[in-house]
Amino acid sequence: MSSTPSEKDIPVHTEDAHQRVPNEKALHYEVILEDVQVEQLVNEVQAVDQARADELHAELAASSQQGYHPITPEERIAHNRLNRKFDLMVVPFCALIYLFNGLDRSNVGNAVTNGFITDLNLPANAVNTATTLFFATYVPCMPISASIGKKVGQSYWLGIISLCWGILTLGHAFVKTQGQLIAIRLLIGVAESGFFATATSFIALYYPRHNLALRLAFFYFAFAIAGGFGGLIAYGCFTINGALWGWQYLFIIEGIISIVIACIAPFWLPKSPGRAWFLTPEERHYADKRMVLDAATNIESTGRLSRRDIIEAFKDWKMWIMLPSNIFATLGPAGFSIFFPVVVKGLGYTGAIANLMTVPPYVIGAITVLCMSYSSDYFRERTIHTLVGVTIVIIGLGLAIGIPLENTGGRYGGLVILLMGTFVSTPITTAWIAGNTPEPGKRTVVLAINGWGNLGGIIGSEIYVPQYGPDYRWPLTVSLIMLCCCWIGYVGVHLYLRLINSRRAKLVAKMTPEELERENKDDKRYADKKLTFVYGL
């Protein structure tokens, strides 16, 4: 099989050549043919005849984003087999890294319930201060770290940064003063800053856009259960009768496991779908071609990051109008979950039992995010699913605020409902943004900037302070107000994207097939700025 197509294999599009533009079924037939090269498929995907022009106008008018969906029996078999392999080899390992990322983020909250503050004679607000300062390095370093990862190789970068935070987590066990705690949290913020954007943009290389939300949910599932799993680990560590305090064993054990996983990562995770060590040559070829059908810009995307990608990312209006809602939505997983053990302790549970009682809400939250993300992919819809998740959080907050503290069971039930919805928005909005950013280099930077939604964690660390315990009614009320603003914000984003699609539909209706094909192929407008791009809702 030739590595490059001959000239006769590549369609030449002249004014009367549009009759030879492959129809959708022909493209889907070619995607599983070994002798059809990726470059040839790119040219055919970008070609436009009158029929394709009419389809594009209808898609824009209806805000119906297409992407890659197998339509032939042979395709479905190949597509499902490939997804299963990625589901087994790529997503679980990324999720495993994320699990310990989440543990390293939330274990300070677990340690507080075992005397971390009193054993070291730290000020009562020491953990809140250190947690806030963690975000002082974590948030601004996100685009920098993710950009470095894109250039050096994302699979390698995931191993490097997880090794760093594993070492720093272990270092928590030897903290003696508040200054040392703050210093180590600042450093761990730098180490963890590029992880989410690097991992999510890495996973997005492997799956078409309407298969992505479920996989990001499986990935994010690890963060959702990190609080519950962390409670189990903390429960075990706090029962160890040794020479060290229980919280020291917690940091040592979690740090060592993170280091071991980090050393395996560069060898396990492939650099790209077309280089996956666990695929056959035919599967690698198909893996590249189906992503080209999903978006022609996916060709040769490994390590590709230009100055234009960075500039266009910072100029991306849809990201900036969505960011405030993402900040408010992240108040739950990034802020509230850190202090969830403390809030549960305020209900009357103590020590190890307080940590054990955090497990059921996280398990329920994990199941919910998987179901909602599957539904989002299946129906090719993002907005309503995101709003449902936010609505569940609002209901949970209302119950947690309204039910008296004396009603321990009812109030705990409100917290369960709160956690059930709090993880839904992140994977779905991440898939939403990724699907609306077809250029892989720009997508990496956009997802990193979108990670500034973790500013919600700063808000959470500042409002869930001991002085508002044991009922934490004021922090919960602030969270409720912010989640209501978040709900309104997502509706606004939906309406604005629909308006842009409608405007593009009117412009496309006036363009000839030749002009539309030129729009696809030239660089005057970049990536999702092209008039032929349909924003997904």
Side-chain angles (χ1 to χ4, degrees), residues 3 5 36-44 284-286 288-289 292 298-300:
S3 59
V36 176
Q37 302 301 310
V38 175
E39 293 83 358
Q40 176 182 343
L41 204 60
V42 170
N43 278 276
E44 294 178 355
R284 292 174 195 157
H285 196 48
Y286 169 64
D288 280 338
K289 288 197 292 184
V292 164
N298 281 319
I299 185 174
E300 297 177 355

Side-chain angles (χ1 to χ4, degrees), residues 40-102:
Q40 176 182 343
L41 204 60
V42 170
N43 278 276
E44 294 178 355
V45 167
Q46 292 178 329
V48 180
D49 61 0
Q50 188 58 53
R52 176 58 190 139
D54 293 339
E55 289 174 2
L56 182 58
H57 176 262
E59 291 164 8
L60 282 165
S63 291
S64 175
Q65 190 179 61
Q66 297 304 302
Y68 174 72
H69 302 280
I71 63 174
T72 69
E74 296 82 6
E75 252 192 309
R76 292 190 187 96
I77 292 171
H79 176 74
N80 292 333
R81 182 171 61 239
L82 195 61
N83 278 352
R84 282 195 297 271
K85 288 195 174 184
F86 291 149
D87 290 345
L88 289 173
M89 306 300 288
V90 176
V91 176
F93 199 89
C94 289
L96 182 63
I97 302 174
Y98 200 21
L99 171 65
F100 282 89
N101 175 275

